[in-house]
Amino acid sequence: MAGLQNIVLIGFMGTGKSTVGRRLAMALNWEFIDTDLAIESEMGITVSDVFHRYGESRFRTEESRVVKRLSSCQHCVISTGGGTVCNAENFEILLTSGLVICLAASLETILQRVGVGTADRPLLKRSPAEIEKLCQSRQAIYAKAHYTVDTTNQSIEVVVDEILRLLKEGV
Ligand code: S3P
């Protein structure tokens, strides 16, 4: 693990990236960075407001800017937004900046965790069938991660332990 630069968590909304990332960073004594929070702190408004006021494309521009800056991180756990790696350039940068772990979960779990139509996730203001379609459309992209960990029915502790085990086992 000594030579490992960063750990990057990717995956669909509601798979636990931010919660797990924060705990993992604590366990490793590394810095925790959340791309959505970085955008919020730079723009001074919530992600939801960025979408609402300026549209998704502006959000994606800010997201790419944050990812480029993160490439110089050392010993950071980076939690990304669900759509961050849908931009191929973002994904390339993240794949070379550390170990990329995809967190996955069943659609049922995702819907339970996020609630449908939540105010803070603009892309979830749609029906469960449409959310499933969006999730499906991203599977091939998420599959390019170095590892995938299923968080369905798992506690945060178990998921963090599973990632720590992966790291010990020779990354
Ligand atoms: C998005 C996921 C969100 C946030 C934005 C767009 C997406 O992050 O970046 O609402 O495209 O899947 P979380 O995955 O942390 O909810």
Side-chain angles (χ1 to χ4, degrees):
M1 216 194 302
L4 182 62
Q5 254 183 295
N6 303 295
I7 296 169
V8 181
L9 299 180
I10 68 165
F12 200 67
M13 295 170 267
T15 52
K17 301 178 299 278
S18 301
T19 319
V20 168
R22 207 179 285 279
R23 290 281 186 94
L24 188 61
M26 272 168 60
L28 292 166
N29 207 15
W30 287 11
E31 189 183 344
F32 172 68
I33 296 166
D34 182 301
T35 57
D36 283 345
L37 292 182
I39 293 167
E40 289 186 342
S41 106
E42 266 167 39
M43 296 189 73
I45 55 175
T46 64
V47 165
S48 177
D49 279 340
V50 180
F51 270 75
H52 189 66
R53 287 194 208 169
Y54 306 112
E56 181 173 351
S57 75
R58 170 73 189 276
F59 173 76
R60 298 300 174 195
T61 302
E62 297 300 329
E63 195 171 44
S64 294
R65 219 193 299 273
V66 166
V67 168
K68 283 202 181 87
R69 240 195 10 250
L70 292 181
S71 56
S72 62
C73 277
Q74 292 272 351
H75 286 179
C76 294
V77 175
I78 301 164
S79 290
T80 59
T84 310
V85 294
C86 296
N87 173 305
E89 196 190 350
N90 289 350
F91 207 168
E92 270 312 306
I93 292 172
L94 293 168
L95 279 168
T96 53
S97 75
L99 182 77
V100 176
I101 299 175
C102 176
L103 297 188
S106 69
L107 184 72
E108 198 186 4
T109 303
I110 287 170
L111 293 176
Q112 265 170 16
R113 285 185 188 155
V114 298
V116 181
T118 52
D120 56 342
R121 286 185 169 101
L123 294 184
L124 293 183
K125 287 182 183 153
R126 54 183 85 189
S127 71
E130 285 170 320
I131 293 172
E132 180 174 21
K133 213 164 133 194
L134 179 65
C135 188
Q136 286 297 336
S137 72
R138 291 177 173 180
Q139 289 315 307
I141 298 171
Y142 294 148
K144 292 180 191 151
H146 297 120
Y147 289 101
T148 296
V149 174
D150 194 347
T151 68
T152 307
N153 297 326
Q154 302 290 1
S155 67
I156 300 160
E157 289 73 24
V158 167
V159 176
V160 169
D161 284 350
E162 168 73 7
I163 296 174
L164 291 174
R165 193 183 58 74
L166 280 175
L167 299 179
K168 266 199 205 128
E169 271 180 7
V171 173

